[in-house]
Amino acid sequence: MSEAMTIPVLPCASLPETLAFYGALGFEVTHQQTAPNVYAATRRGEVHLHFMGLKGLDPRQAYSTCLVIVPEVERLHETFAEGLRRAYGKLPISGLPRISRMKKGQSRFTVVDVAGNSVIFIRRDAPDDDEEAAGSRSDSRLGKALRAAARLRDFKNDDAAAAKVLDVALARKEPDDPLERARALAARLELAVALGEQARARALRDEIDEAPLSDEERALLRPQLDAVDALDRSQR
C-alpha cells in the first residue's frame, strides 16, 4: 500500500466561492468542471482536496471534516492567516469561513471553509488533547477550569462554551493564587476579544491591571497578553 493515496472529496454549495477561499490559502486548481457534475480538484504541495457540488447544502449545518497531517503548523497558520487577511480584509476567526486561533507551541488548528467543511491541520508529532490543552497543571478550581476552557477553545472551536466555563470559575468567591487568577482572566480576555465582547474585555483588562502581581509574575503573564493584543489588532 506504499503507493496508495487518499483524497477527501468535500461538499460545497458554491464551487467558485469555495475555490476562491482555498486560493487564498495557496491551493491551486488542478481540475474543474460543471458537467456532468460539479467537481473540482485542488492541491497545495502534497495536500490534495477535492470538492463536489451539493444542492441544498446549508453551510451552517455542515459536518464534513478531514485531517491533514503536516510537519509543522505554526508557520503554516501564519501563511494561511496572511492570505485570509488579504482576501477578507481581516482575519476571520468566527462565522463562516474562519480559521481557529494559534498560540505558540500549539500542535493543530482548524480551517472552516465557506461550505462549512472543517479541515484540521495537525503536526505530525502532536500530543494528545489533554496533554496540550493542559496550559495549567494545577488541580485547583481555576487550573481545572483553564484546562476545560482550553479543550473547548482549541479542540472543539467553541469559544462561547469556553467563556462560560471561565466565567463560572472566576465568579466563585474563594481565595485564588493571584498569578493563576490572572492567567484565567487573560484567557477569558482572549475569548472576549474573539467574541466581540468589548465591554467585558475592558473590564477584564482593568482587573488584570489591578491584580496584586509582582514584576516577575507580570513578566510571566506578558506573552499571554501580547497574544491577546495581536488578536485584537487583527480584528480591526
Side-chain angles (χ1 to χ4, degrees):
M1 296 289 288
S2 61
E3 300 298 321
M5 174 184 290
T6 300
I7 299 176
V9 180
L10 302 173
C12 68
S14 168
L15 189 59
E17 289 182 13
T18 296
L19 295 181
F21 174 79
Y22 282 95
L25 300 182
F27 283 77
E28 62 174 319
V29 178
T30 58
H31 174 76
Q32 182 177 355
Q33 66 182 48
T34 56
N37 57 296
V38 175
Y39 195 91
T42 69
R43 175 178 181 175
R44 188 183 193 279
E46 297 304 312
V47 179
H48 297 256
L49 294 176
H50 289 195
F51 302 94
M52 63 175 183
L54 183 61
K55 291 182 179 179
L57 174 66
D58 182 353
R60 296 167 299 178
Q61 300 297 323
Y63 297 100
S64 299
T65 304
C66 73
L67 308 180
V68 181
I69 309 302
V70 292
E72 66 83 34
V73 291
E74 292 187 34
R75 290 193 302 277
L76 183 61
H77 185 278
E78 289 177 3
T79 299
F80 283 3
E82 289 173 3
L84 292 174
R85 283 193 193 96
R86 287 194 297 269
Y88 294 93
K90 67 176 184 178
L91 187 64
I93 60 171
S94 61
L96 292 174
R98 65 182 181 272
I99 184 171
S100 61
R101 301 184 301 285
M102 189 80 186
K103 297 179 292 298
K104 188 160 183 65
Q106 192 170 309
S107 67
R108 67 193 68 197
F109 67 90
T110 302
V111 169
V112 182
D113 68 21
V114 292
N117 300 305
S118 294
V119 183
I120 306 172
F121 293 84
I122 304 176
R123 195 179 68 222
R124 184 167 288 117
D125 61 347
D128 62 39
D129 291 13
D130 288 337
E131 181 181 345
E132 181 176 358
S136 170
R137 300 281 182 184
S138 168
D139 286 327
S140 69
R141 170 177 51 83
L142 282 178
K144 292 176 181 177
L146 277 166
R147 290 195 294 276
R151 284 190 291 272
L152 288 165
R153 180 193 62 210
D154 298 337
F155 294 94
K156 295 184 180 297
N157 299 310
D158 194 338
D159 287 343
K164 186 176 294 185
V165 166
L166 290 174
D167 282 340
V168 170
L170 288 166
R172 297 277 294 273
K173 302 300 183 183
E174 299 175 9
D176 295 312
D177 173 76
L179 179 57
E180 189 167 52
R181 182 173 181 83
R183 290 191 185 282
L185 289 167
R188 182 61 179 90
L189 173 59
E190 177 197 349
L191 292 166
V193 171
L195 293 166
E197 301 171 338
Q198 297 180 359
R200 181 73 166 126
R202 287 193 294 271
L204 288 162
R205 286 185 185 275
D206 289 343
E207 188 172 350
I208 292 170
D209 290 342
E210 295 167 4
L213 300 176
S214 67
D215 290 342
E216 291 78 7
E217 288 171 329
R218 289 200 179 276
L220 291 172
L221 190 64
R222 189 70 254 166
Q224 194 174 356
L225 294 176
D226 287 344
V228 173
D229 291 340
L231 174 64
D232 196 11
R233 289 193 298 272
S234 75
Q235 297 306 292
R236 297 175 185 171

